[in-house]
Structure formats: C-alpha cells, structure tokens
Amino acid sequence: MIPLGVLASSRVAPSPVVSTWSGGAPSTLGYWFGNTWKTMNPPQIGRVSSITQQVGLRWASMPIPPGSTITAATLAFTTSAAQTNPGAASNLAGVHQVDAAPALASGQQTTDWTPTAAWSPTGAGAKSVNLTAAVQALVNRPGWANGSPVVVRVQGNTTGTSGQADLTGVTLTVAYVLPG
C-alpha cells in the first residue's frame, strides 16, 4: 500500500493548452492621409509634405476568448522603401483598445490610437513588431468577446523629407493560453 502523501505528490498538473491564431491578411486595409481614410491595397506609409500617413489594418474576427494569456503577438510586414527614424515616435504600431474595433473610415486618425510598440526602420524589406502587451490589454478589456474585430495601426517615415513606401505581406499571429 502506497501512503496517501506519496500519491498526491506524484500527480502532474496538466499542461496549459497553447493555441495560435494566424489572422493572415487583414480584411480591410488602407491609410489615413491627414484625417481622410483612403482604402488602398497595398497601403502606403510615409510622409507627404508635413503629413505622416498612418496605415490601418482590420481583421474582422479574432477568435481569442476573454481572459486568455497572450504569450506572443507579432505583426509582420514588408516595406518597399527604406525607413528613416527622425524622431523617437516615428516608426510605431499599436492596437486600437476598443472592445469591437470599428470599420475604418475618415475622421478616426486621432481616435482610439495608442502606439504601443516601435519597429526597426533599417532598410526596405521584412519587419516584425511585438504587439504582445497590446493584444493582452485588448483581451483583458471587460467588453472583449471571442471573435471581436481588431484594428492595428502602423506609421513610419520613408527616406527623405517626403516619400511613401508600400506595406505588403501583412500578417498578425497571436499565441495564447486559454483561461482557466
């Protein structure tokens, strides 16, 4: 007969279930020029005169249950031109912190936009941005529901004082542990 204490200590806790959502390409993409929304595929980041264009990317459904623990969230994309870094706040990305992200439209450039991560401006080519903390904050919101839409905004400055770069190959991938 095995003593009760030995049995209890030999139990192994179940491993958490890690899931991954790969949103693929966004369902809506374009950019804000000033405060005007322009649907465009591929969208363009950069500067025209003194106006910085911000790209909006919307996925219609992110099926991650509320309260999940986000272990990784990566936005990946490719730029067609080199980026500059004329200021600390130039090459940024962020997740709209709203329970159900609205459709992208004019008049939203300064609303619901909290930049949360910087991305490296070095050269044209593949980039990735760590959005783990921003996605965690989103699924922790009291009104977040499994399958709500999500919007990510990206801004960057192209080489020189004026110019644009196409943003292509955009994907958002999120790894998470289910609550409980």
Side-chain angles (χ1 to χ4, degrees):
M1 178 174 239
I2 301 173
L4 183 58
V6 172
L7 282 177
S9 65
S10 65
R11 289 189 183 151
V12 176
S15 297
V17 176
V18 177
S19 300
T20 301
W21 172 74
S22 181
S27 56
T28 306
L29 58 163
Y31 67 94
W32 287 273
F33 181 75
N35 207 23
T36 303
W37 172 253
K38 298 182 181 246
T39 301
M40 179 180 230
N41 189 2
Q44 296 177 328
I45 57 173
R47 292 183 65 79
V48 176
S49 298
S50 62
I51 298 173
T52 298
Q53 294 179 180
Q54 296 178 346
V55 170
L57 309 164
R58 185 178 192 265
W59 286 265
S61 174
M62 186 169 74
I64 297 177
S68 294
T69 300
I70 307 303
T71 58
T74 304
L75 175 70
F77 56 89
T78 300
T79 60
S80 63
Q83 304 296 301
T84 61
N85 194 6
S90 294
N91 300 305
L92 301 170
V95 175
H96 280 228
Q97 294 295 315
V98 294
D99 299 327
L104 299 175
S106 292
Q108 294 175 331
Q109 186 184 15
T110 58
T111 61
D112 305 319
W113 163 237
T114 304
T116 54
W119 55 276
S120 172
T122 55
K127 313 284 184 217
S128 65
V129 183
N130 181 346
L131 294 176
T132 304
V135 174
Q136 183 67 69
L138 183 65
V139 301
N140 285 349
R141 290 180 56 83
W144 175 258
N146 189 345
S148 290
V150 63
V151 168
V152 175
R153 193 175 295 203
V154 179
Q155 77 178 27
N157 288 322
T158 55
T159 301
T161 58
S162 183
Q164 299 161 312
D166 291 342
L167 202 72
T168 59
V170 178
T171 60
L172 177 62
T173 305
V174 180
Y176 59 97
V177 177
L178 294 171

